[in-house]
Amino acid sequence: VEEMGDNKLDFFGNSISLSGRVLDYLWQKNGMIAANIANNDTPGYKSRYMTFEDVLKRNLEQVRGGRSSDIRKAIENTRGVIHTTEQESVRLDGNNVQIEAEYLEQARVQLQYEYQLKLLNSELSQLRMAIKG
């Protein structure tokens, strides 16, 4: 990183920081879904879900028009938030895990993770080509 006044020239921009944060979030979300699935037969267990996009949007709105370094800090300070599902259970044991919905969400998260990895790999390949000339 080279400094020139208040501006930092960052060869990578913020896309790699964002990709890394999204991959972290998806990895954590997949683990949380796995915990929901594992607790499908646990009496009284309440399923959990995770949000990320709203927190990221709020953090980015706070630095709208800011410097690249401010945007990067907003991205890096974004973490997923875990919530407990409070919906009523139709099961007698009080467990509210909807196993089919969990499997569907798990498949969706795995596809998003794979896509994000491909996107990051593509960005890094373009950077390698630019460096080699």
Side-chain angles (χ1 to χ4, degrees):
V1 177
E2 181 182 327
E3 295 208 28
M4 295 183 69
D6 284 341
N7 297 327
K8 287 187 178 181
L9 299 176
D10 185 357
F11 190 72
F12 297 108
N14 288 319
S15 63
I16 292 180
S17 293
L18 181 58
S19 290
R21 184 57 55 210
V22 170
L23 286 170
D24 287 346
Y25 156 70
L26 291 170
W27 184 265
Q28 292 171 349
K29 184 173 182 176
N30 192 52
M32 187 203 55
I33 292 168
N36 286 343
I37 291 170
N39 283 290
N40 183 48
D41 293 325
T42 304
Y45 179 82
K46 301 299 181 194
S47 64
R48 298 179 301 160
Y49 66 97
M50 192 175 224
T51 57
F52 174 78
E53 293 88 353
D54 293 339
V55 178
L56 177 62
K57 180 181 176 186
R58 189 171 49 248
N59 287 352
L60 290 175
E61 284 175 347
Q62 291 175 0
V63 295
R64 183 171 290 178
R67 296 179 309 194
S68 180
S69 60
D70 295 333
I71 294 169
R72 186 175 311 104
K73 285 179 189 174
I75 291 169
E76 291 172 355
N77 290 330
T78 301
R79 300 285 184 271
V81 178
I82 297 175
H83 308 273
T84 301
T85 305
E86 298 298 332
Q87 69 189 32
E88 292 294 320
S89 174
V90 293
R91 293 171 38 176
L92 294 177
D93 66 359
N95 183 311
N96 69 354
V97 173
Q98 297 177 354
I99 196 70
E100 295 85 9
E102 296 294 337
Y103 283 132
L104 183 62
E105 185 66 9
Q106 186 178 47
R108 189 177 74 81
V109 166
Q110 289 170 351
L111 287 171
Q112 286 178 316
Y113 192 87
E114 185 177 321
Y115 174 78
Q116 193 65 42
L117 278 177
K118 286 181 181 181
L119 182 65
L120 180 59
N121 189 39
S122 174
E123 287 183 42
L124 292 174
S125 292
Q126 289 176 357
L127 288 172
R128 265 192 301 272
M129 285 183 5
I131 290 169
K132 289 180 180 180

